[in-house]
Amino acid sequence: SNVLAHSMWVEVFPSTWETLSPDEHNHLSKPLAMLIARDCNKFQDLRRPNVVQGLLEAVHRCKPPPAIQAPILKFAGRTFNAWHSALSILEDQMNHLSNYSDGSEHKGEEIIDALTDLYKRLGEQDVMYGLWSRQCKEPQTKVAISYLQYGYWSKAQDTLFN
């Protein structure tokens, strides 16, 4: 059955991933990302559970996690109703970037964009504003975002331009 296959994959894949070497992790991350983004998966978007949901749920349980690009996770989360797995993976990537900054600012922007889009589509405006506030460099920007969150557009604008 689909449910049995899904639950077996989610349990077996992370265990197998853990036994691989770091070099094998690097070699398998890109094909795994390509598998998630393949066109053939679109025929499963209405099935529950579908292949992409199983892949993302398994990826989220992997230690260390496979490196899957944020735009692919955003696409998979939206298209295949895998919101929570995609968000969890993206949040883990964001935490990893903030803990171990390697100077990859472009990657951080992609993750923030993907998280913002998914939160917005789920109607999680407060979480989205919290994410923006967390990334602020200037205190005035954080204050302006707080005003935006509560609908005080003119105060936010005044804070930013004064």
Side-chain angles (χ1 to χ4, degrees):
S1 82
N2 289 342
V3 175
L4 178 63
H6 173 85
S7 61
M8 283 184 62
W9 176 260
V10 169
E11 292 298 323
V12 170
F13 182 76
S15 300
T16 306
W17 183 263
E18 195 174 308
T19 65
L20 300 175
S21 70
D23 192 41
E24 290 170 319
H25 287 165
N26 291 335
H27 288 300
L28 290 175
S29 289
K30 187 174 180 181
L32 184 60
M34 290 172 43
L35 176 62
I36 291 169
R38 289 196 56 166
D39 282 341
C40 67
N41 293 329
K42 70 182 174 185
F43 299 110
Q44 293 222 347
D45 62 348
L46 297 177
R47 297 186 189 271
R48 303 290 177 264
N50 60 48
V51 171
V52 175
Q53 288 172 337
L55 287 169
L56 289 182
E57 197 173 324
V59 163
H60 178 61
R61 293 182 179 197
C62 289
K63 303 292 180 224
I68 308 227
Q69 299 86 356
I72 291 174
L73 291 168
K74 178 175 82 169
F75 164 77
R78 281 189 344 217
T79 307
F80 298 101
N81 199 24
W83 304 93
H84 295 82
S85 296
L87 281 169
S88 294
I89 295 167
L90 287 165
E91 288 168 353
D92 288 347
Q93 288 180 356
M94 191 72 204
N95 289 334
H96 179 75
L97 272 183
S98 60
N99 292 338
Y100 307 101
S101 181
D102 61 355
S104 178
E105 195 166 309
H106 177 69
K107 186 177 179 182
E109 288 175 10
E110 281 186 344
I111 294 169
I112 292 170
D113 289 345
L115 281 168
T116 300
D117 182 62
L118 291 176
Y119 286 139
K120 185 177 179 183
R121 290 176 186 271
L122 284 173
E124 295 288 349
Q125 307 296 40
D126 289 337
V127 180
M128 182 181 72
Y129 285 124
L131 176 68
W132 288 352
S133 292
R134 185 176 168 197
Q135 302 307 313
C136 293
K137 304 276 189 247
E138 298 294 325
Q140 294 88 357
T141 308
K142 190 175 275 192
V143 170
I145 289 173
S146 294
Y147 282 140
L148 284 174
Q149 183 175 5
Y150 293 106
Y152 299 122
W153 304 100
S154 59
K155 285 185 178 182
Q157 191 172 16
D158 291 342
T159 303
L160 288 173
F161 294 113
N162 289 335

